[in-house]
Amino acid sequence: MTALAAPPAPPTGPEGTPPRPERRKRRAPRSMHGGTLSYAILAVALLISAFPFYWTIVAASRSNADLAKVPPTLLPGPNLIGNFEAVLEEADIGKALLNSLIVSGSITVGTVLCCTLAGFAFAKLRFRGRGALLALTVGTMMIPPQLGVIPLFMLIAELQWVNQLQAVILPGLVSAFGVFFMRQYLVQSLPDELIEAARVDGASTARIFWSIVVPIARPGMAVLGMLTFMTAWNDFFWPIIALSSQEPTVQVALRQLGGGYVHDQSVIMAGTLLGTLPVLLVFGLLGRQIVGGIMQGAVKG
């Protein structure tokens, strides 16, 4: 019998020691920081976006003669408080701010609630004619709102609502864009399994909406609420038709500022600054929800 061959000796290093096993080179994680060019572009975009608001502050704190200088002054002046006092004297801006808060707040709450309800129905409930009703709702977005001004004014005149805030509030409580927006959001964010499990547990549709749909739809509701508030706050066309100078909103009251042969631009800018602050406050309150909604959508994508 032939002797079994001995196994080959393991390879050795230069000094007779066994070599170390080869290690795979791990790729270093990519840095999440942008380059210098990216930060430069962001800085330029930030300056361009923030300059109109900064110029509003500068113009509101200067006199009309300072604004007429060439080149213009780019630093705030000492006349901000005086221009605010002129705004309060020339227009009932306090009442206008209160009316705008009532109108914009009511429209925002009504739009968010009604559009979330309708969006949930179109997204997850099954009923006859759902597709046709959704198409009809979206189709109304193609109709210019100016076409409905005359019949709408005739309606509120028949109801004796002229120069009353409900004439501005009720037509804006529901929007086709809000219904479509919440429908698309709930289609992506609300699993059917949650609704089926709630049905098995005996929950009604109302209980499902308040306990399941609203917590999931909160980021989308915050975005819709901010957009609706800004639209209602900046609306000028319909309030100036339905309201008078005795019951103005902010945008209607601003047209009373800076009157005379030469318009006082500094007073107008001071009133504009006062009218802009509530919008910034709303954005500050809802900003976290908006960013949370964007991040949630990014993770799901």
Side-chain angles (χ1 to χ4, degrees):
M1 298 179 62
T2 59
L4 296 175
T12 58
E15 298 180 357
T17 59
R20 296 179 180 179
E22 295 182 359
R23 296 181 180 180
R24 294 182 178 179
K25 296 182 179 180
R26 296 181 179 180
R27 294 182 179 179
R30 294 182 179 179
S31 175
M32 298 298 292
H33 300 284
T36 305
L37 180 61
S38 300
Y39 285 114
I41 294 175
L42 289 176
V44 172
L46 177 62
L47 292 176
I48 295 175
S49 302
F51 182 77
F53 182 69
Y54 175 75
W55 174 249
T56 302
I57 298 176
V58 172
S61 61
R62 289 285 178 175
S63 63
N64 208 30
D66 293 336
L67 299 181
K69 293 180 179 180
V70 179
T73 304
L74 297 179
L75 296 177
N79 299 333
L80 183 62
I81 304 299
N83 289 334
F84 282 162
E85 293 176 353
V87 169
L88 296 177
E89 292 177 1
E90 295 183 14
D92 195 356
I93 199 70
K95 187 175 184 180
L97 287 171
L98 179 61
N99 289 341
S100 290
L101 286 175
I102 294 174
V103 170
S104 302
S106 301
I107 291 177
T108 300
V109 173
T111 299
V112 170
L113 180 60
C114 295
C115 292
T116 305
L117 278 167
F120 168 60
F122 283 125
K124 298 300 178 180
L125 300 184
R126 301 292 182 267
F127 54 91
R128 183 176 299 178
R130 183 182 65 166
L133 287 176
L134 180 61
L136 180 63
T137 302
V138 176
T140 59
M141 298 172 60
M142 296 183 292
I143 302 176
Q146 291 80 5
L147 295 180
V149 169
I150 294 177
L152 183 58
F153 185 80
M154 294 173 62
L155 177 61
I156 67 168
E158 187 69 23
L159 296 174
Q160 298 181 357
W161 286 356
V162 178
N163 198 27
Q164 297 183 21
L165 295 182
Q166 59 262 32
V168 182
I169 294 174
L170 292 181
L173 287 181
V174 181
S175 67
F177 168 77
V179 173
F180 180 74
F181 177 82
M182 293 308 302
R183 188 257 179 191
Q184 295 299 111
Y185 185 87
L186 291 174
V187 165
Q188 300 293 331
S189 302
L190 181 61
D192 295 333
E193 292 77 7
L194 287 178
I195 300 177
E196 295 173 359
R199 295 288 189 193
V200 171
D201 292 340
S204 62
T205 303
R207 180 64 182 275
I208 292 174
F209 177 78
W210 290 110
S211 300
I212 297 177
V213 177
V214 171
I216 292 177
R218 191 174 298 165
M221 294 169 68
V223 175
L224 179 61
M226 186 199 69
L227 296 177
T228 304
F229 186 89
M230 292 180 61
T231 302
W233 185 272
N234 295 325
D235 189 16
F236 175 77
F237 181 66
W238 176 242
I240 200 174
I241 296 175
L243 302 177
S244 66
S245 58
Q246 285 74 30
E247 289 290 338
T249 57
V250 169
Q251 309 305 325
V252 177
L254 289 179
R255 72 187 184 96
Q256 305 175 11
L257 299 177
Y261 184 75
V262 178
H263 295 289
D264 195 342
Q265 299 294 332
S266 60
V267 175
I268 296 175
M269 286 303 208
T272 304
L273 181 60
L274 285 176
T276 307
L277 293 179
V279 178
L280 297 178
L281 179 62
V282 170
F283 183 80
L285 293 176
L286 299 180
R288 183 175 300 178
Q289 293 289 337
I290 295 170
V291 175
I294 295 173
M295 294 302 297
Q296 182 180 2
V299 172
K300 288 186 177 181

